[in-house]
Amino acid sequence: HPRDRRQAGGAGAQGPQVTSTIRPMAADDRPYVLETWRRSMQQKSRKNQRDVSHSRANRARERLADEHRVLVASVADGSIIGWICYTPLRSSSVVHYLYVRASFRAHTKNHDSRVSRDLMEAAGVDLAKPVLATKPVTARGRMVAASNGIRPHEVEQAEVMP
């Protein structure tokens, strides 16, 4: 069921409050989720100057989005402001990828990113423990996690994917 949340929005700690709804990904959300995931990883690959097989990576993302769970956070006009791809476990969930639109990210280390936290909580992630995340957790991901008091613990995808 969709859940309404108060979200921190705008550029930084003084951004306006907006209400968002967290809900399962719908079929018409899938292209946006996959495209933002692809672009995000492509930017990270360029920054790290890695040689990445994009077609293989795209297939892996499609498989994750289709075979595991995806929740999206959207605002009243239906725009998606964030999403999480995850695998639920008994005690917590494994995060495969978490995306928050730039204008809704926290830009100061003292400001809690409610969109990220709300998505993880809705996915069943126990934020009191180290957060299980499939490899690789990017440097930016580690920085964002640390600024929100979240400790990622990397696991191999093969451990959670058949």
Side-chain angles (χ1 to χ4, degrees):
H1 293 283
R3 296 167 34 173
D4 285 337
R5 297 288 191 154
R6 298 296 295 175
Q7 305 292 346
Q14 302 303 317
Q17 293 292 309
V18 297
T19 301
S20 71
T21 300
I22 296 176
R23 59 177 173 73
M25 177 181 71
D28 59 343
D29 299 330
R30 185 178 182 273
Y32 177 81
V33 167
L34 292 173
E35 180 62 14
T36 54
W37 198 345
R38 183 191 67 76
R39 283 185 184 173
S40 180
M41 295 307 291
Q42 190 174 43
Q43 289 171 348
K44 287 168 181 55
S45 295
R46 265 192 238 127
K47 286 180 186 173
N48 296 330
Q49 297 179 345
R50 291 185 193 158
D51 182 24
V52 176
S53 168
H54 294 294
S55 60
R56 190 177 84 214
N58 286 340
R59 284 192 304 273
R61 286 188 287 274
E62 288 171 1
R63 181 175 174 214
L64 282 166
D66 293 343
E67 296 178 8
H68 297 268
R69 297 191 185 167
V70 179
L71 294 175
V72 299
S74 60
V75 290
D77 70 0
S79 299
I80 296 173
I81 61 171
W83 55 265
I84 185 171
C85 179
Y86 68 101
T87 299
L89 302 175
R90 286 181 212 168
S91 61
S92 190
S93 291
V94 177
V95 176
H96 299 293
Y97 202 79
L98 177 85
Y99 169 83
V100 177
R101 189 182 292 176
S103 59
F104 290 87
R105 294 180 196 146
H107 294 289
T108 64
K109 75 176 196 176
N110 296 323
H111 185 250
D112 181 34
S113 175
R114 290 304 317 166
V115 178
S116 297
R117 284 180 140 334
D118 287 347
L119 282 164
M120 285 190 282
E121 288 172 356
V125 174
D126 184 349
L127 295 174
K129 298 178 182 175
V131 174
L132 298 174
T134 52
K135 289 183 177 182
V137 175
T138 64
R140 172 139 174 80
R142 286 182 196 287
M143 182 186 72
V144 171
S147 71
N148 284 286
I150 296 168
R151 299 167 296 160
H153 175 75
E154 291 181 277
V155 296
E156 296 290 337
Q157 282 190 0
E159 292 182 47
V160 291
M161 294 180 68

